[in-house]
């Protein structure tokens, strides 16, 4: 449970960092169209996945309002960026437990007659 919440928190922080970074990059480049296009790519990834997996009627339901589209983009980005983090945390935990299991077992207890 901790791993899941930590991955969601890191995913949310990563999306927020990407958003702030793209806003700063766009303003520093004086609204260069190439910078705008490159900074939009991390946020357009949900749209690309949406076009591949979902039907047009389901897409119309999500994007019927501006609020629904914005929530969809943020939630999907957080989930999309949280999955690799969760996998990396799981691998780290398994490697950590394997190292602790590799040590010798404790000596058996001695019985006094």
């Amino acid at each position: 449970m901790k791993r899941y919440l930590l991955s969601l928190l890191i995913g949310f922080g990563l999306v927020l960092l990407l958003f702030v970074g793209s806003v700063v990059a766009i303003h520093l480049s004086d609204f260069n169209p190439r910078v705008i296009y490159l900074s939009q790519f991390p946020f357009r990834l949900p749209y690309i996945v949406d076009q591949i997996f979902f039907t047009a009627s389901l897409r119309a339901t999500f994007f019927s309002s501006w609020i629904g589209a914005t929530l969809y983009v943020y939630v999907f980005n957080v989930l999309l960026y949280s999955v690799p983090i969760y996998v990396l945390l799981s691998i780290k935990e398994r490697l950590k437990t394997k190292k602790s299991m590799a040590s010798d077992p404790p000596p058996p207890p001695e019985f006094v007659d």
Side-chain angles (χ1 to χ4, degrees):
M1 187 67 169
K2 290 183 207 177
R3 192 178 328 145
Y4 179 70
L5 291 176
L6 182 63
S7 67
L8 281 178
L9 185 65
I10 292 173
F12 181 75
L14 187 61
V15 169
L16 189 63
L17 183 70
L18 284 171
F19 178 71
V20 170
S22 64
V23 168
V24 168
I26 289 171
H27 282 290
L28 289 178
S29 70
D30 293 329
F31 299 97
N32 186 352
R34 185 176 181 149
V35 174
I36 292 172
Y37 176 75
L38 290 175
S39 66
Q40 287 179 350
F41 182 72
F43 297 106
R44 288 194 181 267
L45 203 53
Y47 291 119
I48 295 168
V49 172
D50 176 59
Q51 290 176 356
I52 293 171
F53 292 114
F54 296 127
T55 62
S57 62
L58 188 60
R59 198 176 306 128
T61 305
F62 278 125
F63 299 123
S64 61
S65 69
W66 181 81
I67 295 173
T70 305
L71 284 175
Y72 175 74
V73 167
Y74 281 117
V75 168
F76 198 83
N77 268 320
V78 167
L79 292 176
L80 190 67
Y81 292 125
S82 294
V83 169
I85 295 168
Y86 182 80
V87 170
L88 288 175
L89 288 173
S90 297
I91 290 171
K92 180 183 172 190
E93 185 68 30
R94 288 192 183 190
L95 290 175
K96 186 177 168 183
T97 57
K98 282 184 181 180
K99 285 182 182 177
S100 66
M101 292 177 68
S103 64
D104 293 333
E110 294 182 20
F111 295 104
V112 179
D113 288 330

